[in-house]
Amino acid sequence: MTTWDGFQAFATTPAAAPPPPGTPHRLEERLAYHSRFVTVRTPAIDALAKNVRTLMILGRHQAVTARPSLIVTGPAGAGKTTALLQVGRACHLAHTRRHGPTATAGQAPVAYVLVPPAASAKTLAIEFARYLGIPVTAGMSQAQITGAVCHTYTAARVQLVMIDEIHRLNPRTTTGAQSADLIKDLTERIGATFVYAGIDVTTTPLFTGVRGAQLAGRASLIDCAAFPSRLGDQEPFRDLITAMEGALDLRHHRPGTLPRLAPYLHERTAGRIGSLARLIRQAAITALLDGTERITKTTLDAIRLDHLAEQHYQPRARPRSRNTSTP
């Protein structure tokens, strides 16, 4: 995913979709389907897509200063990376449809880069270079790598740059400050819209100091929070469960089973879409392997989730039955 070939393969591979009713599929195909599973369109994806499109138009002819940017923030497992990649896929496909595959040959409209742990400016610049296969030799300086990145990204017509794991940057340290300066330099030299994603970035040092103030002054925040069980008269978490259940390919599963378990599922996952998707996918695969072809609370209880979800979940103890018999 962090190379152009990998991202292009992701963007052009048809998204998983539930098979039409009555369509026979081999077990291996159904296991593969539930492993990939569908991506439910969430409010975070909708908000990000709308804002990215607007900012790309806003900055299309802005050549003097860095273009406005976006930061997707939220807790771990809340779907930030999924939202980022889905919007990147949509941008790539829209660019190809608009200009045609022949005209876009050799172009890379979208870039996806991960901030490495304890990133220095040079290691971060190398990640940008690696995405487009730019040769980097041991003797190259950071300035030379950055120059090659800016030249190649401009030549490839990169329009959207997505930088994930941005919370790893700490501008309070020397290497973190240099990395933040590198990103600022890239935003001013590459004519693209930059979108960042990170865990709870407002609670990290990312927005502190002069460099943090510059980023905060240019970037809008999109909060990719956990799903609440209720929001006024709406039940967004139950709606999410309903959409996921509707995509299951299990012959004996009873529709409505999972939405009825919404309170339990919210406790199990803390409303985090990543944990919920894993739980339902793993339960579906279990149901296929054991031949039951349905998901029940017993199935769900037997599945161990990620440590964060398991720490949050505190099963309610059943009240002891009182012995009312008299001697």
Side-chain angles (χ1 to χ4, degrees), residues 41-159:
R41 190 85 179 185
T42 64
I45 294 178
D46 288 338
L48 182 59
K50 180 180 178 180
N51 279 274
V52 166
R53 183 172 183 272
T54 302
L55 289 188
M56 289 179 71
I57 296 172
L58 179 65
R60 187 171 293 165
H61 303 290
Q62 185 173 329
V64 179
T65 59
R67 302 177 181 200
S69 58
L70 284 171
I71 298 179
V72 184
T73 183
K80 299 178 298 299
T81 297
T82 298
L84 205 64
L85 292 174
Q86 291 303 313
V87 170
R89 180 211 292 266
C91 179
H92 172 87
L93 296 176
H95 180 80
T96 303
R97 284 195 303 268
R98 188 180 306 117
H99 302 287
T102 303
T104 56
Q107 297 181 11
V110 179
Y112 177 69
V113 176
L114 287 178
V115 176
S120 66
K122 187 170 184 178
T123 60
L124 184 55
I126 290 173
E127 286 300 303
F128 275 89
R130 188 173 68 85
Y131 180 81
L132 283 186
I134 303 170
V136 175
T137 62
M140 290 179 70
S141 66
Q142 177 203 319
Q144 289 174 318
I145 299 171
T146 303
V149 165
C150 293
H151 171 77
T152 308
Y153 274 53
T154 301
R157 303 279 300 274
V158 175
Q159 299 177 4

Side-chain angles (χ1 to χ4, degrees), residues 11 31 63 128 160 162 254 260 266 277:
L31 289 170
F128 275 89
L160 178 65
M162 305 183 299
R254 295 178 180 176
R260 282 193 294 271
H266 198 272

Side-chain angles (χ1 to χ4, degrees), residues 273-290:
I273 189 173
S275 298
L276 177 67
R278 173 178 169 176
L279 180 59
I280 292 178
R281 288 163 55 216
Q282 197 165 335
I285 289 172
T286 299
L288 286 170
L289 292 176
D290 66 19

